[in-house]
Amino acid sequence: MTATFDFSGKQVFVFGGTSGINLGIAESFAAAGADVAVASRSQEKVDAAVELLGKAGGKARGYALDVRDADAVEAALADHAEAAGGVDVLISGAAGNFPALANGMSPNAFKSVVDIDLLGSFHVLRAAFPHLNKPGASVINISAPQAFLAMPMQSHVCAAKAGVDMLTRTLALEWGPLGVRINSIAPGPIADTEGMRRLAPTKEIERQCIASVPVRRLGTVSEIGDAAMFLSSPAAAYVNGVVLPVDGGWSVAGASAAALAMTSPHMS
Ligand code: HXC
Ligand code: NAP
C-alpha cells in the first residue's frame, strides 16, 4: 500500500480475490483494517488467500465457488451477510482471458469468457445488492482497457469488459438513489499477474508493452488497491458511474499503439 486509508470495521467482499490484482486489492483493504472475504473456484487458492489476509489485518473469510453459478454466489453472500453483517465494499473481479483470434475460437470459448466476466459480474452484483450496507456502500467492477480499446485476439474480452462497464453505468443510475455508488477500475498492464503472463509471455512482448505506456513501466497490484480504496473512501463520495483507468496513461497514448503492442506479436 502506498496511500493511507482507514477501513476499520468495514466488511469487504472480493470476488476473484484469491490471486493477482484482486488479491492485491483484498490485501490493501485488510492492511487498512477491514474484514475481507474472498471467493474463487479453487479451494486451495481460497484457503491460501484467507491465511494471508488473516495475517494482514482483520478477520478473513473464503468461499470456493464459480461466479457462473448464480445460486452459489447467492448462497455465499447470504452466508457472509449473516456472519459478518452485510457488505460495505464489494469488488467484482473474477475473469478469464486467453489470446485467440475470433475466427479460431469455438462458440464455447467465447461464451466462457463472457459467462465469467459479464454474466458472472451480473450474478455477483444482483446477489450482493440486498446485503450492501446502505447508504454508503461502494461497488467496484474490475474492467480492463479492452473495454474501450479494440485489441486483436481479444474479441471475447473486449465484448465482455465493455458489457461490464455498461453494467457499471446503468447500475450507477439505478443504485445511486438507493445509497450505493458503483464504479469500474480499468487496470493497465500490471506486473506479476496472470493476465500479463498470458498476454505478454515473453520479455520482448513485455518490452514492447512497456514502451507503449507513457510512464514507461508496468503498474503494480498495490496501485490498483490504492485506487479501489480511494473509490470506496469518503474522498470519492461524489464519484459514481465512472470507469477509472489506472494505467500510466496507456489508454490515452494512442489506441492503436496501446492495443497493438500487447497482442500483435502473438499473430506473427
Ligand atoms: C482458444 C480456448 C483457449 C485458447 C480455452 N479455450 N483456452 N480456445 N484458445 N487459448 C476454450 C476451450 O477449448 C473451451 O472451448 C472453452 O474455451 C472453455 O475452456 P475450459 O478450459 O473448459 O474452461 P474453464 O475451465 O471454465 O476455464 C475458463 C478459461 C481459463 C477462461 C478458459 O483460461 C481460466 O480459468 N482463466 C482464469 C484465469 C485467467 O484467465 N486470468 C487472467 C485474467 S486477465 P471448447 O469449444 O473446446 O469446449 C484479464 C485481462 C488482462 O482478464 C488484460 C491485460 C492488459
Ligand atoms: P488472476 O490472478 O487470474 O485473477 C483472476 C481471479 O478470478 C482468480 O482469483 C481466479 O481464481 C478467479 N476466477 C477466475 N474464473 C473464475 C470463476 N469462473 N469463478 C470464480 N472466480 C474465478 O488474473 P489477474 O491478471 O490478476 O486479473 C484480475 C482482474 O484484473 C481481472 O478482472 C482482469 O480482467 C483484470 N485485469 C488484469 C490486468 C492485468 O494486467 N493482469 C489488466 C487489466 C485488467 P480461481 O482460478 O480460483 O477461480
Side-chain angles (χ1 to χ4, degrees), residues 15-23 25 39-46 63-69 73 92-97 112 115-117 120 141-146 157 161 185-199 219 221 224 250 262:
F15 280 83
T18 61
S19 60
I21 289 173
N22 302 320
L23 177 59
I25 292 171
S40 81
R41 294 166 299 179
S42 155
Q43 184 71 59
E44 204 178 319
K45 284 174 71 175
V46 168
Y63 299 90
L65 56 80
D66 192 318
V67 294
R68 289 169 285 192
D69 180 346
V73 170
S92 175
N97 194 355
S112 296
D115 279 357
I116 298 168
D117 294 26
N141 287 321
I142 304 303
S143 182
Q146 284 89 332
V157 177
K161 293 292 195 181
I185 292 174
I190 305 300
D192 301 320
T193 59
E194 185 59 27
M196 282 300 282
R197 278 187 281 278
R198 289 176 182 225
L199 292 188
V221 292
I224 307 304
W250 202 49
M262 183 75 90

Side-chain angles (χ1 to χ4, degrees), residues 150-199:
M151 292 190 196
M153 308 192 88
Q154 290 285 274
S155 61
H156 45 340
V157 177
C158 291
K161 293 292 195 181
V164 167
D165 285 350
M166 286 312 286
L167 268 180
T168 294
R169 296 184 181 105
T170 50
L171 292 185
L173 302 180
E174 295 183 14
W175 288 359
L178 304 174
V180 175
R181 294 180 303 107
I182 175 167
N183 297 289
S184 284
I185 292 174
I190 305 300
D192 301 320
T193 59
E194 185 59 27
M196 282 300 282
R197 278 187 281 278
R198 289 176 182 225
L199 292 188

